[in-house]
Amino acid sequence: MDANLHSPQRLLIELRIEHADLDDLIDRHLIATPADDLVLRRLKKRRLALRDRIALLETALEPPEPA
């Protein structure tokens, strides 16, 4: 059971959820408040870093294609 808590698949799911949460936060921030460019840039930079981690993890989990 503990192995499932730390599996790469679970990490991937958690990263996707965090990325979706950041998307929602950015959208709400754009609608609800006057543009705070610094906060918005930081959120977008964090979202981009998450997307990069997700892509690396997906690549590591996918089996290599036969030649």
Side-chain angles (χ1 to χ4, degrees):
M1 181 84 177
D2 285 337
N4 289 339
L5 293 176
H6 303 291
S7 72
Q9 291 83 2
R10 182 176 174 105
L11 177 59
L12 184 59
I13 291 168
E14 290 174 0
L15 291 174
R16 286 178 177 158
I17 291 170
E18 188 175 350
H19 187 272
D21 289 346
L22 275 173
D23 275 340
D24 183 54
L25 184 62
I26 289 168
D27 290 342
R28 283 187 288 139
H29 184 76
L30 286 172
I31 293 170
T33 60
D36 185 348
D37 290 338
L38 181 60
V39 171
L40 204 53
R41 274 189 277 143
R42 287 179 177 168
L43 289 171
K44 287 182 177 182
K45 189 174 184 177
R46 187 169 157 205
R47 182 179 61 179
L48 183 60
L50 277 172
R51 190 179 73 192
D52 291 343
R53 278 186 69 192
I54 290 168
L56 284 173
L57 195 52
E58 286 173 340
T59 302
L61 290 175
E62 291 176 4
E65 293 185 22

